[in-house]
Amino acid sequence: MEYPFQITSLEQYKEQYQKSVDEPESFWGDIAENFYWRKKWDKVLEWNFKEPKVEWFKGGKLNITENCIDRHLETMGEKPAIIWEPNNPDERTRVVTYTRLHKRVCQFAQVLLNNGVKKGDRVCIYMGMVPELAYAVLGCARIGAIHSVIFGGFSAQSIADRLEDAKAEFIVTCDGAYRGGKDIPLKSIIDDALIGNKTVKKVIVYTRTRTPVSMIKGRDVWWEDEMDYALSQIEKNNVVTMPATEMDAEDPLFILYTSGSTGKPKGVVHTCGGYMVWTTYTFVNVFQYKPGDVHFCTADIGWITGHSYIVYGPLAAGGTSVMFEGVPTWPDAGRFWDIVDKYKVNVLYTATTAIRSLMSYGLDPLQGKDMSSLKVLGTVGEPINEEAWHWYDQHIGKKKCPIVDTWWQTETGGILISNLAGITPAKPSWATLPMPGVQPVLVDERGKEVTEPDEHGLLKGNLCIKAPWPGIIRTTYGDHERCRTNYFATYENLYFTGDGALKDKDGNFRITGRVDDVLNVSGHRIGTAEIENAINMHASVVESAVVGFPHSIKGQGVYAFVITEKKHPEDDLAKKDILETVSRIIGPIAKPDKIQFVNGLPKTRSGKIMRRILRKIAEGETENLGDTSTLLDPSIVDEIKQNKV
Ligand code: WT7
């Protein structure tokens, strides 16, 4: 497959960028011509950020799976679409060609139809990283069902909340999942999530770990049985036919839940046409993907990175995508490098936190691994510190691979700010330049554009985007007003990212981190309010306040200040109980790293917790805590400072 929209020089980037700003409709119309549409769009773009309303390729008809699979069959049918590396390196690799992917996706789409799933229905997917997860995602897309993938690290309670919010009627899961040395009993967690649930009609269970599971008559069915039957329906004389459902460009493709500054996760909605164009365009340009390259994105499909850069982007580009079931440090910290060696990986895209974690194991795990196939490296999830950047550059890329630092969000669908590998310049710890179609602007607290550089010649402000790109969030599921207030109401006529950033005189951006009450722990987004809600569920907790603190591997750690009923709780036990509660309510990823029992929290006279002060204490600051005169009881600050953990 050729990519006529691949940018090949800095000059061309500049020229394309300018065109995307001056004539967005003709710019994106031309790019969209490179996809398969059943019917061409009537209008490339209509929008206002007031409601907000964003419509790309309106009136266009398509099915994203025909773009990700069918159109490649004739010329690339025997080419690997997905290379699957199991958790256990001794288990057999699975190579899924485009022809095989087509067959499996069609089969599973038929399974969904047989189980009563219709266009627009919500299907929750809670599986480990097995190829069947990709079949499930694409099977939904093929019949126009809206998938909502939930990461395997979320608890039953979190799943229950998401099922309810999405009013999901169907679930696809596994008996269990392998992750490093652990087996996670997925089906049993689903069973817990379904206690009291009245909307879910069917649960389809794929066998992975052979963990005993309970199967409820009439509700739970086995993947394998369903797939066999579906094949007998759609395969005749070795030919598989299973038509894809025609979708409008603006029909929802999926929901993905993510945390915000309120206690309740939001269902971010992406639609078919714009998301397809955006993920493919950014995939081909940022990573400078060339036909035949092996692309290894180490994310889990439970997060947006996996959706966009394991599944949709690479497949729409006719690429080869490596999917890894396990974790970077099992059986040892050389696992990524083994995979690079084994499959001759050309593009490696991983999280900043993974780099820092692997760095801490030293260079031994790299011994004897041939990584000469690598051409491009990428990072995502949080700002990368210069030390980690140089380690990645020197020891993994051997100073010959450009590193792309990709800034984006669940809400943006794909990468917004990043250098293009080898085409636009890299700058360690800077995400650098916006993609064509992306117009970032830095504003002050009142929404005024920042124009005065600071003493280092840098502009500093809250990062907003001025106009829509094809992959922008369309709504938050079931509550459009929430989408407006969260992203489009802070500053008039701007999409607000929640991040702070710096801009240098050359137009490069450096992301400094969240400016709202959202933490980024190991590249996972968790709202402080969400963790506080979970801690407060514990029977003996009166009140709590959660802030982030710098953590050498996770980027940010979770620091919880907790008031309990008893004045001196039995520290250790009480702490363990709180951790267990957070695990149950949200999932192990949200567990606080530090818990400090306190007798009070610094509050203003109107009762607002002054997190600024708590944040400083958690960061280890003792002197400059700022103005504490407005506090109801300033003495509480000294007490908290003294007992810092
Ligand atoms: C938040 C979005 C997008 C995939 C992974 C996370 C932070 C993301 C970078 C980067 C600095 C980054 C931001 C953003 N972030 N990439 N390259 N440099 N910060 O998706 O869970 O939606 O989180 O991750 O703070 O707002 P997410």
Side-chain angles (χ1 to χ4, degrees):
M1 201 180 164
E2 298 285 304
Y3 311 118
F5 49 82
Q6 191 164 53
I7 295 168
T8 55
S9 69
L10 181 58
E11 293 64 45
Q12 200 194 358
Y13 161 77
K14 288 182 185 155
E15 174 236 315
Q16 294 283 297
Y17 185 83
Q18 200 52 47
K19 181 166 184 228
S20 76
V21 172
D22 296 342
E23 307 160 49
E25 294 203 47
S26 86
F27 181 83
W28 290 109
D30 286 351
I31 288 163
E33 294 282 357
N34 294 285
F35 294 82
Y36 172 65
W37 300 84
R38 295 235 188 132
K39 176 186 165 284
K40 202 177 155 170
W41 52 90
D42 304 317
K43 181 107 179 62
V44 173
L45 172 63
E46 237 170 275
W47 70 285
N48 72 69
F49 276 173
K50 218 170 180 57
E51 298 176 54
K53 178 180 95 169
V54 179
E55 292 174 335
W56 282 95
F57 314 112
K58 185 83 189 294
K61 303 282 184 194
L62 77 159
N63 185 289
I64 196 167
T65 69
E66 290 183 333
N67 283 275
C68 288
I69 308 171
D70 302 51
R71 66 169 171 157
H72 307 316
L73 291 176
E74 206 173 304
T75 53
M76 300 191 291
E78 294 319 303
K79 196 183 147 179
I82 296 173
I83 298 175
W84 178 72
E85 167 73 6
N87 182 58
N88 182 339
D90 296 329
E91 198 185 325
R92 189 175 55 90
T93 295
R94 289 164 64 187
V95 177
V96 184
T97 61
Y98 274 96
T99 302
R100 175 59 60 97
L101 181 64
H102 175 255
K103 180 170 169 172
R104 294 287 180 249
V105 169
C106 287
Q107 253 177 294
F108 191 69
Q110 184 63 45
V111 166
L112 291 170
L113 292 179
N114 292 347
N115 280 280
V117 182
K118 296 181 302 298
K119 178 177 170 181
D121 288 349
R122 277 80 51 220
V123 178
C124 159
I125 302 177
Y126 187 65
M127 299 172 86
M129 284 285 284
V130 285
E132 285 69 19
L133 164 54
Y135 308 159
V137 163
L138 293 163
C140 287
R142 191 151 187 99
I143 63 161
I146 303 171
H147 58 76
S148 172
V149 185
I150 301 179
F151 175 62
F154 280 114
S155 69
Q157 182 63 53
S158 291
I159 299 167
D161 294 344
R162 286 160 172 75
L163 288 172
E164 190 187 301
D165 188 84
K167 297 182 194 65
E169 292 177 323
F170 305 93
I171 296 178
V172 191
T173 189
C174 299
D175 51 354
Y178 295 125
R179 273 179 74 78
K182 289 192 210 134
D183 295 0
I184 301 162
L186 298 180
K187 173 62 164 65
S188 145
I189 297 172
I190 287 290
D191 289 337
D192 288 346
L194 286 178
I195 295 170
N197 176 291
K198 294 206 172 50
T199 50
V200 172
K201 295 189 221 155
K202 279 280 161 73
V203 181
I204 302 171
V205 185
Y206 173 73
T207 311
R208 174 62 185 131
T209 58
R210 302 193 171 272
T211 317
V213 293
S214 79
M215 293 292 280
I216 306 293
K217 193 181 293 161
R219 187 193 74 183
D220 300 351
V221 296
W222 290 110
W223 169 289
E224 294 76 8
D225 298 345
E226 298 292 309
M227 287 290 268
D228 285 348
Y229 180 64
L231 192 62
S232 72
Q233 295 170 281
I234 63 170
E235 192 180 45
K236 302 261 147 40
N237 307 323
N238 271 328
V239 181
V240 174
T241 334
M242 201 282 161
T245 300
E246 187 166 288
M247 305 291 285
D248 193 278
E250 282 299 338
D251 279 337
L253 173 64
F254 65 84
I255 304 171
L256 186 58
Y257 283 87
T258 190
S259 298
S261 36
T262 60
K264 202 174 150 246
K266 303 176 285 255
V268 173
V269 175
H270 286 289
T271 58
C272 299
Y275 177 80
M276 170 181 76
V277 170
W278 188 246
T279 50
T280 315
Y281 181 78
T282 51
F283 172 72
V284 163
N285 279 302
V286 171
F287 303 107
Q288 287 291 302
Y289 186 84
K290 299 288 181 313
D293 279 355
V294 176
H295 175 82
F296 177 23
C297 166
T298 70
D300 190 289
I301 294 177
W303 308 107
I304 190 71
T305 310
H307 282 61
S308 302
Y309 300 111
I310 297 177
V311 182
Y312 288 110
L315 297 179
T320 296
S321 184
V322 175
M323 182 174 175
F324 173 39
E325 184 183 35
V327 297
T329 48
W330 194 86
D332 59 55
R335 194 64 196 278
F336 280 179
W337 325 129
D338 287 327
I339 297 174
V340 168
D341 189 340
K342 184 165 169 189
Y343 302 114
K344 304 295 164 226
V345 169
N346 304 113
V347 184
L348 174 68
Y349 186 32
T350 196
T352 309
T353 184
I355 299 170
R356 281 195 305 262
S357 153
L358 293 175
M359 221 172 111
S360 73
Y361 289 85
L363 297 177
D364 277 355
L366 290 160
Q367 290 304 315
K369 316 280 160 86
D370 177 7
M371 300 206 282
S372 57
S373 55
L374 286 173
K375 296 197 292 190
V376 173
L377 303 176
T379 70
V380 63
E382 6 151 16
I384 182 161
N385 46 312
E386 290 199 32
E387 195 194 352
W389 195 97
H390 287 295
W391 186 86
Y392 202 31
D393 182 38
Q394 190 173 348
H395 298 293
I396 308 305
K398 318 281 186 210
K399 298 214 161 202
K400 66 175 181 58
C401 302
I403 299 176
V404 289
D405 178 347
T406 64
W407 174 84
W408 57 299
Q409 310 179 295
T410 304
E411 293 84 349
T412 70
I415 297 161
L416 291 203
I417 304 182
S418 173
N419 48 317
L420 311 182
I423 303 293
T424 64
K427 185 170 176 180
S429 86
W430 288 66
T432 74
L433 299 172
M435 294 298 295
V438 176
Q439 300 180 52
V441 46
L442 298 179
V443 302
D444 65 17
E445 292 301 310
R446 277 172 292 131
K448 214 171 118 312
E449 188 163 346
V450 178
T451 48
E452 281 302 306
D454 67 6
E455 66 273 25
H456 310 290
L458 301 172
L459 300 176
K460 182 176 195 263
N462 293 344
L463 179 62
C464 294
I465 318 283
K466 264 189 210 169
W469 60 98
I472 190 175
I473 179 177
R474 299 304 197 270
T475 189
T476 43
Y477 190 78
D479 191 350
H480 193 63
E481 176 58 12
R482 201 160 169 222
C483 174
R484 190 186 71 81
T485 50
N486 255 289
Y487 306 105
F488 299 92
T490 317
Y491 306 114
E492 206 181 334
N493 283 322
L494 294 173
Y495 166 80
F496 177 42
T497 65
D499 280 323
L502 302 170
K503 186 181 179 182
D504 72 9
K505 59 176 186 358
D506 301 320
N508 291 306
F509 287 88
R510 175 183 198 156
I511 312 301
T512 49
R514 303 288 306 194
V515 294
D516 52 9
D517 290 324
V518 170
L519 304 183
N520 190 333
V521 180
S522 300
H524 302 321
R525 221 158 112 180
I526 315 170
T528 53
E530 237 178 292
I531 307 177
E532 288 163 9
N533 287 351
I535 294 175
N536 296 350
M537 303 275 274
H538 188 284
S540 52
V541 170
V542 177
E543 197 180 8
S544 64
V546 166
V547 296
F549 70 96
H551 187 288
S552 63
I553 304 240
K554 296 177 170 188
Q556 264 187 316
V558 178
Y559 196 121
F561 298 89
V562 179
I563 307 177
T564 56
E565 273 169 359
K566 291 207 202 87
K567 226 175 152 62
H568 300 291
E570 269 178 74
D571 261 31
D572 223 31
L573 191 60
K575 280 184 186 173
K576 282 187 185 140
D577 288 351
I578 288 174
L579 293 180
E580 185 59 24
T581 309
V582 174
S583 269
R584 288 265 167 203
I585 304 295
I586 307 177
I589 52 171
K591 280 199 286 195
D593 299 278
K594 293 183 179 183
I595 297 175
Q596 179 180 348
F597 292 112
V598 296
N599 291 315
L601 292 166
K603 287 188 178 175
T604 60
R605 284 186 192 88
S606 60
K608 207 168 136 12
I609 298 173
M610 291 200 56
R611 286 164 191 286
R612 174 174 56 79
I613 294 174
L614 293 175
R615 230 176 271 135
K616 288 220 160 145
I617 295 175
E619 283 165 10
E621 176 81 57
T622 46
E623 297 305 315
N624 303 313
L625 295 181
D627 182 15
T628 54
S629 64
T630 56
L631 288 180
L632 188 62
D633 175 11
S635 71
I636 198 76
V637 174
D638 290 325
E639 189 193 308
I640 296 176
K641 247 179 8 193
Q642 270 155 29
N643 299 322
K644 183 182 178 309
V645 292

